[in-house]
Amino acid sequence: MLRIAATSNWLAVLLVCYLLMACSAKQVSESSNVGLAKNATATQQLMLQVHKQWQGTPYQLGGTTKAGIDCSAFVQHLYKDIYNQVLPRTTEVQLKQGKAVSLNNIQTGDLIFFKTSYKVRHVGVVYDQNHFLHASTSKGVIFSRIDNVYWAPKIIAIKRL
């Protein structure tokens, strides 16, 4: 009987810890967006507005609407909204646009491309030296860190249009 009670107590403690971690993770995520707004340029403020409009939109391969969108369509929408520039629809064709720049010389608005598997390419838009905005397959439209252990080794090109 004592063993069952001890097990129940440990399960309760683990559940409380999990819930606290989930809450703190959400706060970190929200505060990071607040951090991005500090000292934002005019273009970065527009990017924050686009993010706010699309936040919560899930990833959908081939999707082009707020019901579901893929990375290249999101970049296409962002460029149309912010720069009034029409981009090609697919990541492969977007990759052929613009002039290559090094990671050390990135600027807000540069396209950043990743090779996420043998055939799959991903694209986002540079927000600042540390962040890019994109339609993530797992989290929808979000900001991610360029130096993230998942993204950093997968960078294949940065293009300035």
Side-chain angles (χ1 to χ4, degrees), residues 5-58:
T7 302
S8 295
N9 287 341
W10 275 109
L11 289 174
V13 168
L14 287 174
L15 179 61
V16 168
C17 288
Y18 174 77
L19 291 172
L20 288 174
M21 287 181 354
C23 291
S24 65
K26 186 174 181 182
Q27 290 171 351
V28 169
S29 174
E30 290 172 359
S31 66
S32 67
N33 286 345
V34 172
L36 292 175
K38 291 181 182 177
N39 302 318
T41 66
T43 301
Q44 289 170 334
Q45 288 174 6
L46 291 172
M47 287 180 73
L48 289 167
Q49 288 175 8
V50 169
H51 173 253
K52 189 174 182 178
Q53 292 168 2
W54 287 89
Q55 189 174 17
T57 301

Side-chain angles (χ1 to χ4, degrees), residues 70 72-73 76 87-96 113 123:
D70 67 20
S72 58
Q76 194 180 41
L87 294 184
R89 172 63 186 88
T90 67
T91 303
E92 288 301 320
V93 181
Q94 289 175 1
L95 182 57
K96 295 176 183 175
F113 295 89
V123 63

